[in-house]
Amino acid sequence: MTVDIQPACIGLYCGRTVQYINASAEIYGECGVCPRGQRTDGDKICRECTGSPGHYDWLYLGFMAMLPLILHWFFIEWYSGKKSSSALFQHLTALFECSVAAIVTLLVSDPVGFLYIRSCKVVMLSDWYTMLYNPSPDYITAVHCTHEAVYPLYTIVFIYYAFCLVLMMLLRPLLVKKIACGLGKSDRFKSIYAALYFFPILTVLQAVGGGLLYYAFPYIILVLSLVTLAVYMSASEVESFKDLLVRKKRLVVLSSHWLLHAYGIISISKLERLGQDLPLLALVPAPALFYLLTAKYTEPSRILSEGANGH
């Protein structure tokens, strides 16, 4: 097939669309924005994205899908109270909402009706912020070439959050009203009110920092999971293995943090070399073991008493 040779487009993300194929030659249009689902190739021609997300892309989408679920669980636990029997049902409902939202999001994405998506390959950080790279040939008029070069990794998160919000508003109020008998009327819906705050925050976070999160999320997972585990164990006064076994809830929290640790390690290593990367998962229990082995030496009362005895 011959190619209609034309001057290359200016700008990093401006391209020519293929208007039609005449005999064995491709005829291109003017330089401009590529249609949704396409991005420019090395010759500044808009080509349809036919690839599939890589392992790291799926791990990123999994991280963005986990954020609302983790926040749901946190606020449900925060507002349910110690004696409330409704917390478990709300946790399961939140899991159901997010799972259904994820499945529906995949089904409505291209190709419609399948649990997989086609995507463009992420090449560099600027792919997430094409609106910042609209060229100005005469330094006055900008040529607008803003499009989703990382299709659909940017917009699919917004679609997922929208489905999560709709499902929550349809299911959660009915559930809470029926089973949250141990809570006062004003406390029953606080976890839902909290979601109405954190969903807009997550949306803005994805809109502004999606590209930064794409490259930094494995390290964010590791740091936050380590900090929250240390804070939880300190607040729960866990100082030995025996303290962990007293309540099942502590084991659930610990295992949840271990899963997050593993997810972070897998995301960093990408498990591209299984022989070298899988042994890294043995480090998952290390922070908790280190805390339990050293907690008794950092007890504030013990430090104060030893200081007083020294004087």
Side-chain angles (χ1 to χ4, degrees):
M1 180 182 293
T2 61
V3 177
D4 180 21
I5 300 175
Q6 296 181 3
C9 293
I10 59 172
L12 194 58
Y13 295 101
C14 295
R16 299 180 186 274
T17 57
V18 179
Q19 299 292 331
Y20 59 91
I21 299 177
N22 184 12
S24 60
E26 289 183 340
I27 308 301
Y28 305 116
E30 297 294 324
C31 285
V33 61
C34 291
R36 177 172 165 79
Q38 298 184 16
R39 71 166 295 169
T40 55
D41 60 9
D43 298 321
K44 298 290 185 177
I45 306 300
C46 296
R47 301 293 185 186
E48 187 173 4
C49 302
T50 56
S52 299
H55 292 153
Y56 189 83
D57 298 330
W58 283 115
L59 289 169
Y60 165 74
L61 292 177
F63 168 71
M64 299 307 293
M66 282 192 300
L67 283 180
L69 178 60
I70 292 173
L71 289 172
H72 275 315
W73 284 349
F74 173 79
F75 285 110
I76 288 170
E77 197 63 35
W78 184 269
Y79 290 118
S80 63
K82 294 183 179 180
K83 298 181 180 180
S84 175
S85 59
S86 68
L88 177 61
F89 293 100
Q90 292 186 65
H91 286 315
L92 294 176
T93 305
L95 178 61
F96 175 76
E97 293 164 4
C98 293
S99 301
V100 172
I103 293 172
V104 173
T105 301
L106 291 176
L107 291 176
V108 300
S109 299
D110 191 24
V112 178
F114 296 92
L115 289 177
Y116 63 88
I117 55 178
R118 64 180 183 88
S119 68
C120 302
K121 184 179 180 181
V122 181
V123 179
M124 49 188 172
L125 179 61
S126 60
D127 291 347
W128 293 83
Y129 303 103
T130 56
M131 75 290 293
L132 302 177
Y133 294 88
N134 292 323
S136 299
D138 55 1
Y139 300 98
I140 298 175
T141 306
V143 179
H144 295 284
C145 299
T146 301
H147 66 284
E148 190 179 5
V150 294
Y151 173 87
L153 301 182
Y154 188 74
T155 53
I156 198 172
V157 176
F158 299 122
I159 298 171
Y160 168 72
Y161 288 165
F163 280 125
C164 282
L165 186 59
V166 170
L167 288 171
M168 182 195 73
M169 296 305 297
L170 290 175
L171 300 178
R172 196 85 63 82
L174 297 176
L175 177 76
V176 171
K177 188 175 181 181
K178 286 194 173 185
I179 67 174
C181 306
L183 298 174
K185 290 185 177 180
S186 61
D187 295 332
R188 290 184 182 185
F189 301 101
K190 282 188 175 180
S191 62
I192 300 176
Y193 297 152
L196 297 180
Y197 281 99
F198 69 66
F199 268 119
I201 294 173
L202 290 177
T203 301
V204 172
L205 188 66
Q206 167 68 4
V208 177
L212 299 175
L213 287 173
Y214 178 81
Y215 289 100
F217 82 89
Y219 308 97
I220 293 174
I221 290 177
L222 282 180
V223 172
L224 289 183
S225 61
L226 288 174
V227 171
T228 53
L229 178 61
V231 170
Y232 175 79
M233 296 181 79
S234 176
S236 302
E237 298 182 350
V238 176
E239 297 181 359
S240 64
F241 295 99
K242 182 179 179 181
D243 294 334
L244 275 176
L245 301 175
V246 171
R247 297 180 61 187
K248 293 181 180 179
K249 178 181 173 181
R250 293 177 179 175
L251 290 176
V252 172
V253 173
L254 179 62
S255 59
S256 300
H257 279 83
W258 281 358
L259 288 175
L260 287 177
H261 294 343
Y263 196 92
I265 292 173
I266 290 172
S267 300
I268 291 175
S269 66
K270 302 179 186 178
L271 292 183
E272 293 176 345
R273 299 180 300 275
L274 291 179
Q276 297 179 21
D277 296 337
L278 280 179
L280 292 175
L281 295 179
L283 297 173
V284 167
L289 294 176
F290 178 80
Y291 181 92
L292 293 174
L293 293 174
T294 59
K296 58 184 178 180
Y297 301 111
T298 58
E299 178 65 31
S301 58
R302 176 175 177 171
I303 295 175
L304 292 174
S305 63
E306 289 181 353
N309 294 333
H311 289 295

